[in-house]
Amino acid sequence: MKLRCDKIIVTGGGSGIGAAIARRLIDAGASVVAAGRTAEKLQKTAEAIASERLHILEWDIADVNGIPKKLDEAAALMGGLNGLVNAAALGTGVLTGRGYEPWDITEDEWDALMDVNCKGTFFMMRDMIDYLLARHEKGNILNIASNAACMDIVGSYGVSKLGLIRLTRALGKKYGSEGIIINGIAPGATFTPMIARYAKHIDDPYPRHAIGRFIRPDEIAELAYYLMSDYGEIICGHTVVADGGDRAATL
């Protein structure tokens, strides 16, 4: 099993699932641009991975007009571009410091979350597809959604992730015949800074998951490697729910 693409952008690459995926892809032989809004986080990730094939790039995907230029910058750093992992995301709790209920978010907060989780990710996919088609290249796009999309949705985060799953399905079916494989992962409660308000230690029990524990970022990264491999090509336009049997999920 080997990667279908070897020059890959990972948004949200400064921490959490994005950083774990960047590390796994580097281990598999890829060149990676870890992109994110915070230079300090990106630098720490680069120091931890310590590979000459890892590059960092400050990038706010909510600035959709700047995406084509940033794609060119990333390609220049790696000597090409044929893969994208959309792992950049905002959680409602991180954004607001409050909860997930619909009355806990303002209009400006709703827009800020959607700009990253849904709109920015859509334009990243669209412009990446254009980049590959213009060069007649095969490639992979992997979107990190959330199993919040599989629950009763009452807030902006679940809405954004459900939209991402539907976009993954539609664009995956449309462009698979062009050699562009688009898939997603919908993780359950994964031990990252996004859930730090209730996940204090990786070994703490988490009874909402049938497996009784939190998911590790490296477990999601291993699944990402498979989906971006030559073997993973048979999964096209789908989002794999990796939530440890989350009892709150209805789908």
Side-chain angles (χ1 to χ4, degrees):
M1 188 165 68
K2 62 182 183 299
L3 288 169
R4 290 183 78 250
C5 51
D6 60 357
K7 297 178 176 63
I8 305 166
I9 297 169
V10 180
T11 69
S15 64
I17 289 173
I21 291 175
R23 180 187 293 275
R24 183 65 184 91
L25 296 175
I26 288 285
D27 289 345
S31 295
V32 173
V33 167
R37 297 185 299 172
T38 307
E40 183 179 356
K41 287 183 179 179
L42 293 170
Q43 188 58 47
K44 286 182 178 179
T45 295
E47 291 170 359
I49 295 176
S51 170
E52 62 183 15
R53 286 183 282 107
L54 178 65
H55 312 274
I56 59 175
L57 185 61
E58 286 189 64
W59 189 340
D60 182 359
I61 67 167
D63 176 16
V64 297
N65 292 322
I67 290 174
K69 181 181 177 182
K70 287 292 189 179
L71 292 178
D72 288 338
E73 288 182 36
L77 288 170
M78 295 184 288
L81 173 62
N82 54 14
L84 168 65
V85 178
N86 281 311
L90 288 174
T92 310
V94 173
L95 177 67
T96 68
R98 302 188 299 280
Y100 289 85
E101 293 300 317
W103 283 267
D104 283 333
I105 189 165
T106 67
E107 180 182 358
D108 288 343
E109 290 164 345
W110 173 284
D111 290 343
L113 187 142
M114 289 294 177
D115 282 349
V116 174
N117 290 12
C118 200
K119 186 178 83 171
T121 302
F122 165 76
F123 281 95
M124 285 291 294
M125 282 194 283
R126 188 196 71 172
D127 292 347
M128 181 66 181
I129 290 166
D130 283 344
Y131 183 95
L132 293 170
L133 291 176
R135 291 158 180 80
H136 305 286
E137 280 207 53
K138 295 181 179 180
N140 284 72
I141 298 174
L142 180 67
N143 299 316
I144 305 303
S146 168
N147 81 323
C150 304
M151 302 176 189
D152 292 334
I153 293 173
V154 295
S156 56
Y157 184 73
V159 170
S160 70
K161 294 301 187 178
L162 181 59
L164 183 54
I165 287 174
R166 299 312 304 167
L167 287 168
T168 298
R169 181 61 174 153
L171 293 174
K173 290 193 295 183
K174 185 174 179 64
Y175 292 103
S177 60
E178 303 284 351
I180 301 172
I181 303 300
I182 304 174
N183 284 308
I185 301 173
T190 305
F191 194 78
T192 69
M194 187 177 287
I195 63 169
R197 64 190 179 88
Y198 64 87
K200 303 303 181 184
H201 193 279
I202 187 63
D203 293 326
D204 286 345
Y206 191 63
R208 203 177 83 180
H209 285 173
I211 62 174
R213 63 174 177 84
F214 293 111
I215 297 162
R216 302 191 312 270
D218 64 285
E219 292 174 308
I220 301 299
E222 198 65 34
L223 178 56
Y225 168 63
Y226 171 77
L227 290 172
M228 299 183 78
S229 75
D230 52 351
Y231 275 53
E233 186 177 78
I234 60 171
I235 301 174
C236 181
H238 287 284
T239 297
V240 179
V241 178
D243 68 357
D246 195 328
R247 294 184 173 93
T250 57
L251 294 176

